[in-house]
């Protein structure tokens, strides 16, 4: 009966209410070394609904080259996770940012 109730709620178009913005963390794949290619990882976790847009910037300018991301990964609580990756070569003074909307 519990399963039936949960399925009925979903079927009626009543998914869980929107949550706070996702948990976002940016970290390098490998230890940073200047002039050595690396990958930045932007972990976007526990968001709902599943509409999310991830963009990268370098020194406040949009970056699209070297960007890739995973498909949405679903959690048991109807929230989602995804990861975005940016390949880059760190240089002194550069500032990278992962923006999630």
């Amino acid at each position: 009966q519990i399963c039936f109730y949960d399925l009925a709620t979903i079927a009626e178009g009543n998914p869980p209410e929107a949550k706070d913005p996702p948990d976002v963390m940016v970290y390098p794949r490998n230890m940073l070394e200047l002039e050595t290619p690396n990958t930045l990882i932007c972990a976007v976790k526990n968001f709902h609904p599943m509409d999310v847009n991830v963009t990268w910037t370098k020194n406040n300018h949009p970056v699209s080259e070297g960007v890739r991301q995973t498909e949405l990964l679903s959690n048991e609580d109807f929230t989602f996770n995804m990861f975005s990756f940016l390949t880059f070569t760190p240089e002194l003074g550069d500032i990278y940012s992962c923006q999630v909307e």
Side-chain angles (χ1 to χ4, degrees):
Q1 192 173 27
I2 292 173
C3 183
F4 175 76
Y5 173 78
D6 289 344
L7 291 175
T9 301
I10 293 168
E12 292 172 10
N14 296 318
E17 292 183 27
K19 297 185 181 271
D20 291 336
D23 301 322
V24 179
M25 185 168 46
V26 177
Y27 52 93
R29 175 170 287 161
N30 302 309
M31 196 154 106
L32 288 178
E33 293 183 44
L34 291 177
E35 306 298 327
T36 302
N38 204 334
T39 300
L40 283 175
I41 301 168
C42 182
V44 185
K45 297 184 174 185
N46 303 316
F47 59 91
H48 181 88
M50 65 178 154
D51 296 329
V52 69
N53 184 38
V54 179
T55 57
W56 289 92
T57 61
K58 174 184 176 183
N59 301 324
N60 292 319
H61 298 286
V63 176
S64 57
E65 188 175 330
V67 174
R68 59 190 171 83
Q69 63 187 36
T70 64
E71 298 292 324
L72 292 175
L73 308 167
S74 61
N75 297 318
E76 291 181 4
D77 65 353
F78 297 101
T79 61
F80 297 91
N81 299 332
M82 70 172 294
F83 297 87
S84 182
F85 306 94
L86 172 65
T87 56
F88 76 115
T89 301
E91 295 180 14
L92 191 61
D94 283 346
I95 299 173
Y96 289 88
S97 175
C98 168
Q99 299 172 333
V100 180
E101 298 178 52

